[in-house]
Amino acid sequence: MKFVDEVRIFVKAGDGGNGSVSFRREKFIERGGPNGGDGGNGGSVIFVGDPQLTTLLDYRYQQHHRAKNGEHGMGSDCNGRAADDMILRVPVGTLVKDHHTEELLVDLSEPGQRWVAA
């Protein structure tokens, strides 16, 4: 097994779904009005410290991580479904830095510690 202790990855949160433009029009309803639903929230990218992991080898080969988008709204006041969050498990003691500024963003020093990256 290869030991990898430094990787560069790219993360992106999911986009929210589009809302729906819909109007209620029925024969015996005098003033129907709008009834479109809101779009669902996009998923977040979350880093979690995992004591079972010892290396960042998984992230060496898969560098781009994108959370899913929320679903679109529908008529009849139906809101879109929110997307699930993407959980990235990393070894305890992982330091997350910004690549451009070298600024330390978080130190995941405890098991189960979570940090929302995007």
Side-chain angles (χ1 to χ4, degrees):
M1 182 170 108
K2 189 174 182 182
F3 181 75
V4 177
D5 65 344
E6 187 173 331
V7 294
R8 183 170 68 171
I9 64 172
F10 305 92
V11 297
K12 182 185 181 306
D15 296 328
N18 294 328
S20 174
V21 178
S22 175
F23 292 93
R24 181 177 179 186
R25 294 287 181 238
E26 295 180 23
K27 186 173 183 178
F28 296 108
I29 305 292
E30 189 172 329
R31 294 188 179 106
N35 71 342
D38 296 332
N41 294 331
S44 299
V45 179
I46 302 173
F47 286 95
V48 177
D50 188 355
Q52 301 294 321
L53 295 176
T54 58
T55 181
L56 296 170
L57 183 65
D58 297 337
Y59 301 111
R60 169 66 64 105
Y61 301 110
Q62 184 178 358
Q63 297 176 349
H64 296 273
H65 299 276
R66 294 179 185 92
K68 294 187 177 183
N69 297 334
E71 290 186 3
H72 304 301
M74 295 165 274
S76 302
D77 290 324
C78 293
N79 293 335
R81 179 179 291 158
D84 294 332
D85 294 333
M86 174 176 271
I87 305 294
L88 299 177
R89 301 198 181 282
V90 294
V92 174
T94 299
L95 300 175
V96 179
K97 295 182 180 181
D98 184 359
H99 176 68
H100 299 293
T101 63
E102 292 296 323
E103 175 187 2
L104 178 65
L105 300 175
V106 69
D107 178 9
L108 297 171
S109 59
E110 298 176 10
Q113 184 177 355
R114 300 168 66 93
W115 180 67
V116 179

